Amino acid sequence: MSQLTFHSAGESHGRGCFAFVEGIPYGLAIDNAFIDEQLARRQKGYGRGGRMKIETDKAEVLSGVRRGISMGAPILLAVWNKDYRLDKAPELDCPRPGHADLAGHLKFNAPIRDILERASARETSARVACGALCRLLLKEFGIEVRSHVVALGPVELPADFQATWDDLARADASEVRCLDAACDEKMRAAIDDAKKNGDTLGGIFEVVVQGLPVGLGDHTQWDRKLDGRIGQAMMSIQAIKGVEIGLGFRAARLKGSQVHDAIEHVKSKAPRSDAGFVRPTNGAGGLEGGITNGAPLVVRVAMKPISTLMKPLMSVNIQTGEATKADVERSDYCALPAAAVVGENWLSFVLAQAFCEKFGGDSIVEMKRNYDGYLKQINKLGQPENAPGKHGVSEGGRE
Ligand code: EPS
């Protein structure tokens, strides 16, 4: 068993975007159609630019899968670019404020083109391919991920808007992935307006995960806390500027009694992944002390407006030092609906990583055995082996 890891390679207008995934256990059924479906969802959304009309992203599995089953070996996925023109793509001399153009040019002493090709959000196709693979693993354990857009530019869902799990299944039916019809219309109008004015828009999306067992992540060290790991993963998505878990920033303005979730217990014959401990509220968003608590995980992510503006801001020509308008490249006006799909799949990678750490084995069968044993352990409330002093202590240990 190796740790679940991911590396991407590839440029926006290079041969393609590639995902190198190591640590997927042996015996996972690899549903290519599911991976391609996630890639197709990433290409959609109101406000996308011309590139998405050119590409039909699909993941070609180049290694690590035999007869549709993971071999426990590295899996290499390729998303080939149709718009492959790396050597012919024009050079840029006037860096776009907000993009990696200027900082990358100065840091590497390189042409801006050599920076933007790798900085481009096209790289998220590799992350979605990997995330979809991880999602297949999570599905084996009844874990499902959904998302929706809660704000886009100046348009926000009403503060009291509550999306149920079933509601979230409808988000794909909206071109902006918003569940409220009135907001949907206003969001599309806001994008039309931005487009007309050569501008761009960002917003906020929410990802919800159902079925996570209590106990993923770890309170004992800063870099094992799952909230911290989720934050890092989400912040690493191109154009992401903020992450909240549960009430997030809203919690800072409330009292403890309004933020924390009372604990209740329900009896159940079948073992439950939350051990029967439920909450009437979910201000914690499914995480306490950096550990999942069995409630749905709720992550909100803020995306800035895309930095390529058709009506560009002022910049400086890096060859001459002259003040000039920033260069303009084909781009999106709003990629928030696509970012929500990236968020779903990329969060799945972090969760699958934590899941493999807790229940990891060389094969899915072994993982299931570990998982079932754990469920048995956490569902023994009131049983003699759970008496105080016996918790997790070896034979001959503390009485
Ligand atoms: C993207 C492909 C890109 C952009 C966008 C995301 O295509 P192109 O640059 O060829 O038009 O649509 O990239 C950026 C926003 C960026 O800043 O680079 C994709 O596949 O998601």
Side-chain angles (χ1 to χ4, degrees), residues 68-91:
I69 299 294
S70 64
M71 299 164 73
I75 298 179
L76 187 58
L77 302 167
V79 180
W80 301 106
N81 285 331
K82 286 187 183 160
D83 194 9
Y84 164 46
R85 53 183 163 91
L86 192 56
D87 293 343
K88 295 196 189 109
E91 298 299 342

Side-chain angles (χ1 to χ4, degrees), residues 90-130:
E91 298 299 342
L92 272 66
D93 285 328
C94 308
R96 294 160 297 171
H99 218 284
D101 296 354
L102 180 59
H105 156 72
L106 293 171
K107 174 178 162 69
F108 287 87
N109 193 25
I112 289 174
R113 173 62 61 187
D114 290 353
I115 304 302
L116 77 89
E117 281 292 333
R118 180 66 187 155
S120 165
R122 179 126 191 90
E123 188 258 352
T124 59
S125 60
R127 297 207 211 189
V128 168
C130 163

Side-chain angles (χ1 to χ4, degrees), residues 12-13 42 48 51-52 83 99 120-122 306 330-332:
S12 184
H13 305 96
R42 192 201 74 93
R48 286 291 242 164
R51 180 73 181 272
M52 293 305 113
D83 194 9
H99 218 284
S120 165
R122 179 126 191 90
I306 289 207
R330 177 187 63 202
S331 190
D332 307 312

Side-chain angles (χ1 to χ4, degrees), residues 357-377:
E357 281 161 20
K358 177 97 183 93
F359 305 109
D362 293 306
S363 68
I364 289 286
V365 171
E366 190 177 358
M367 258 179 109
K368 284 204 169 151
R369 219 166 39 230
N370 295 343
Y371 182 70
D372 290 345
Y374 177 70
L375 287 194
K376 236 170 118 188
Q377 176 200 304

Side-chain angles (χ1 to χ4, degrees), residues 20-43:
F20 182 90
V21 189
E22 208 168 10
I24 294 284
Y26 176 86
L28 179 68
I30 306 298
D31 178 354
N32 270 50
F34 178 78
I35 300 173
D36 290 346
E37 187 189 318
Q38 297 310 314
L39 288 168
R41 291 176 71 228
R42 192 201 74 93
Q43 285 198 262

